């Protein structure tokens, strides 16, 4: 039961990837210009040498290797039959490295696209005729299963999405082909034959699937395997006939956010909301302070060769480090020792000379002298990157100014000085009853700094709650029946860096890099991916999607929960144990997902999948949430992008959702807002970005439109939580076809009145919470089917998502509670 779910200990325990691997300066900085008369700036690599390229990888296993190597991949990665396609931000040198790893660089217009017309199926594929086959034998039916067949419409266009699986799909020589046909409505013929695309991930067969346009809703599909199996399936509606959103209610107030907001604006508004609405809102302060928008002042002196020296101040840049200058000085004479002079914040390194009067100080020797003789001004000095520092150091033309590189503002960034120093993250808590009686909902935005829309979406949702509480009855129900916690930016340091310095920043600003990666040219690559820093399914335990490389976009940190931002989430859910729902809001892939979120690549061993009842509840909730997104402007998050994140996206080791679900029993969703929007003018799906233009065509990609539609979805999540908390109705379940006499054998399965987990026995014993759970046939499929060949008695009970037990049965009371369900299936020989 949800309220009593034990912690799960996982043995052996990449919204992906990306950020800032390029070693470069702020967007508009010119590293070559002197900072002031008489001094010069440190050498920096030029970020303008980076470019966006579209690449194809062979699968998630290669994706994991590419990300672990430090490459910056954009979100919105797409599974294609031959692997994964996505964008990389790379320099020319890095592009060569990607190709050496086996990545294919795609030309303009190249890459996978769904076919929009029938292709003739097997006939076109050269396998065999697409002519209808005779009715299959029962063994043929068992080899092919329809996972899902969904019809949806968007912007006046209909689409059919189908996933099907064959038990022989792993066969690779020859590859098993699947053919899809559909009718044109009830009692019409099958036609429109097409070949389905086969998807393999980390060497494991997943399914065959297709997405294509149709002008008329089909009633059924038929799927045929090249090995002989064939089956039919009913077509279901996906997000059709959604109820109107709250924004349609008379007098409902919305559209409060007028542009992107940096953390200071977000937090100031959270405080103002708590001040304005003290009867329903307050601020909770998270106890662990962040690193802060601050860095040590640095310089790389002497180029990038064996003579280069990297210097870092002991003090933060804004606390005096930026005032330090370092000068390498040549003196006349011979047999001179290496020494360091300090006058105020000016550090002069007097270079050594040998007996002939030639300069004799190596980079290693100069670095050691700076660390030991700079009177505490310099606490880190070393040769450049992998250099051994054997080169002889040359004198500088002028003193070199150290800088934290946080004083240059990116063009287009909002005005205002960013506070330095450690930051305290406020949580905006909204609810009429904030005493633990109501189910809590945690909305966590901007784990990844460059994702700006999640913050505005979350703020818009908060504004709607407080402005409509007294005037809209549905909003009043939400506020009275839930306890909502908004973290509007969980990564304020990185977000400030994204706004003011480097727009593509993904991680926080904590620098765990050793000397080899600690020069200022690497500064856009420092930090920890907060959504890889948790405890369950961690890369520290061998799961894919997190990196040990400190410059990687998915760097997991030196240990689990190493970062204050992730420690704060654990503190919050442990202090407020009524938190039962969580949404980690990201961008920009257009997905909604949950567990499993990670797997071990070798064998594709996922973290434990949720019980079938929890999985069904996730799907039911997703349908409600995404229907409200669609209601705004017909944006459809397609079924292929909904489900376990490791199934629809990629393996993201150590993510927050996995930890909260398995450790605390919290229904934890991940949301990649944005993503593709169907453009009826071009007939294509248009992709999104992390920071789309705020305004634009309201039917296509814009930050404003995404904020409004996904705020609709968050509001519906609050209603899901409220319904969950008020649910006192006990579930019912049946064994289908049920008890009775059957000749030879019979296939049976369980059905429930609502999403519920079934515990059962077949040995005559009393079912308990330790009994086997009814499972899915396979991931993304409905419940298993039992082939019964001997007389068998099933004893069982069901538990719904709210913890209600069928018939009030108490599985823990061995003596008194016997009102479990029972049915005997008798096999007559």
């Amino acid at each position: 039961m949800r309220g009593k779910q034990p912690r799960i200990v996982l043995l052996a325990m990449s919204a992906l990837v990306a950020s800032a691997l390029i070693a470069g300066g702020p967007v508009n900085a010119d590293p070559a210009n002197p900072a002031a008369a008489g001094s010069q700036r440190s050498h920096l690599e030029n970020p303008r040498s980076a470019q966006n390229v579209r690449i194809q990888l062979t699968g998630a296993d290669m994706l994991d290797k590419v990300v672990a190597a430090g490459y910056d991949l954009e979100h919105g990665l797409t599974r294609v039959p031959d692997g994964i396609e996505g964008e990389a931000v790379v320099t020319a040198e890095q592009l060569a490295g990607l190709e050496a790893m086996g990545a294919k660089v795609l030309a303009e217009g190249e890459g996978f696209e769904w076919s929009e017309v029938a292709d003739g199926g097997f006939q076109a594929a050269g396998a065999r005729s697409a002519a209808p086959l005779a009715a299959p034998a029962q063994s043929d039916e068992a080899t092919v299963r329809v996972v899902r067949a969904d019809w949806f419409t968007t912007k006046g266009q209909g689409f059919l999405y189908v996933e099907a699986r064959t038990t022989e799909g792993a066969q690779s020589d020859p590859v098993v082909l699947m053919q899809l046909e559909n009718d044109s409505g009830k009692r019409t013929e099958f036609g429109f034959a097409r070949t389905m695309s086969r998807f393999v991930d980390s060497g494991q067969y997943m399914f065959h699937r297709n997405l294509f346009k149709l002008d008329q809703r089909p009633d059924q599909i038929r799927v045929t395997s090249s090995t002989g199996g064939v089956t039919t399936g009913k077509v279901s509606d996906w997000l059709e006939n959604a109820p109107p959103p709250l924004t349609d209610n008379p007098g409902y107030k919305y559209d409060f956010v007028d542009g992107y907001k940096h953390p200071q604006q977000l937090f100031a508004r959270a405080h103002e909301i708590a001040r304005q609405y003290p009867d329903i809102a307050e601020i909770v302060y998270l106890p662990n302070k962040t690193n802060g928008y601050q860095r040590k002042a640095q310089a790389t002196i002497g180029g990038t060769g064996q003579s280069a020296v990297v210097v870092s101040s002991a003090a933060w840049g804004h606390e005096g480090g930026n005032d330090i200058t370092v000068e390498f000085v040549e003196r006349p004479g011979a047999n001179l020792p290496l020494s360091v002079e300090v006058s105020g914040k000016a550090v002069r390194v007097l270079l050594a000379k040998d007996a002939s009067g030639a300069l004799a100080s190596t980079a290693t020797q100069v670095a050691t002298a700076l660390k030991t003789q700079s009177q505490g001004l310099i606490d880190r000095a070393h040769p450049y990157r992998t250099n051994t520092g054997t080169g002889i150091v040359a004198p500088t033309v002028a003193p070199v100014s150290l800088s934290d590189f946080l004083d240059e503002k990116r063009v287009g960034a909002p005005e205002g000085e960013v506070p330095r120093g450690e930051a305290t993250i406020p949580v905006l808590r909204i609810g009429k009853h904030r005493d633990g009686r109501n189910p809590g909902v945690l909305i966590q935005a901007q784990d990844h700094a460059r994702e700006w829309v999640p913050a505005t979406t979350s703020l818009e949702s908060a504004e709607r709650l407080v402005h409509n509480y007294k005037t809209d009855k549905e909003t009043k129900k939400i506020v009275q029946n839930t306890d909502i916690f908004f973290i509007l930016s969980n990564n304020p340091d990185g977000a400030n860096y994204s706004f003011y310095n480097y727009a593509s920043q993904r991680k926080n600003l904590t620098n765990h890099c050793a000397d080899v990666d600690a020069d200022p040219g690497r500064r856009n690559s420092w930090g920890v991916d907060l959504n890889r820093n948790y405890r369950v399914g961690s890369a520290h335990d061998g799961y894919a999607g997190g990196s040990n490389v400190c410059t990687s976009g998915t760097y997991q940190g030196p240990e689990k929960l190493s970062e204050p931002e992730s420690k704060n989430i654990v503190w919050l859910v442990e202090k407020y144990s009524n938190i039962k729902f969580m949404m980690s809001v990201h961008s920009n892939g257009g997905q909604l997902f949950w567990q499993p979120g990670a797997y071990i690549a070798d064998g594709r061993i996922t973290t434990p999948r949720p019980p079938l009842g929890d999985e069904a509840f996730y799907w039911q909730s997703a349908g409600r949430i995404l229907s409200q997104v669609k209601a705004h402007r017909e944006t459809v998050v397609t079924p292929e992008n909904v489900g376990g994140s490791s199934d629809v996206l990629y393996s993201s080791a150590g993510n927050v959702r996995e930890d909260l679900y398995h450790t605390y029993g919290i229904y934890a969703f991940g949301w990649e807002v944005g993503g593709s929007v169907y453009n009826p003018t071009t007939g294509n799906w248009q992709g999104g970005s992390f920071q789309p233009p705020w305004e634009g065509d309201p039917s296509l990609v814009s930050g404003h439109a995404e904020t409004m539609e996904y705020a609709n979805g968050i509001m519906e999540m609050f209603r899901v939580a409220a319904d969950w908390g008020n649910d006192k109705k006990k579930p019912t379940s049946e064994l289908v076809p049920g008890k009775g006499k059957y000749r030879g054998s019979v296939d049976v399965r369980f059905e429930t009145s609502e999403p519920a987990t079934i515990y059962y026995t077949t040995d005559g014993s009393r079912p308990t919470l330790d009994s086997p759970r009814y499972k899915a046939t396979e991931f993304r499929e409905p419940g298993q089917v039992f082939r019964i060949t001997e007389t068998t008695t099933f004893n069982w009970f069901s538990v719904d998502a709210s913890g209600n037990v069928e018939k009030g049965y108490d599985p823990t009371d061995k003596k008194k509670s016997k009102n479990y369900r029972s049915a005997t299936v008798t096999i007559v020989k």
Side-chain angles (χ1 to χ4, degrees), residues 45 60 89 121 185 204-205 307 357 378 431 490 525 581 583 608 689 791 806:
E45 296 174 3
V89 183
Q204 302 296 308
Y205 168 71
S307 301
I378 305 299
N490 195 47
S525 301
F581 290 83
M583 179 78 82
S689 64
T791 296
E806 186 171 8

Side-chain angles (χ1 to χ4, degrees), residues 55-66 73 77-86 98-106 198-206 599 601 604 649:
I55 61 172
Q56 183 183 94
L57 310 176
T58 57
D61 48 352
M62 178 182 282
L63 170 66
D64 189 46
K65 294 174 183 176
V66 166
L73 302 183
L77 295 183
T78 304
R79 289 189 186 277
V80 299
D82 297 328
I84 294 177
E85 292 181 3
L98 264 180
E99 292 179 307
M101 294 179 71
K104 178 183 178 182
V105 178
L106 301 175
R198 176 176 178 265
F199 282 76
V200 175
D201 183 31
S202 287
Q204 302 296 308
Y205 168 71
M206 296 182 67
Y599 55 73
R604 202 176 184 277
L649 196 56

Side-chain angles (χ1 to χ4, degrees), residues 477-493:
K477 288 180 182 178
I478 291 172
V479 176
Q480 290 182 333
N481 290 286
T482 59
D483 189 3
I484 300 168
F485 299 80
F486 286 99
I487 301 178
L488 298 175
S489 176
N490 195 47
N491 183 5
D493 304 340

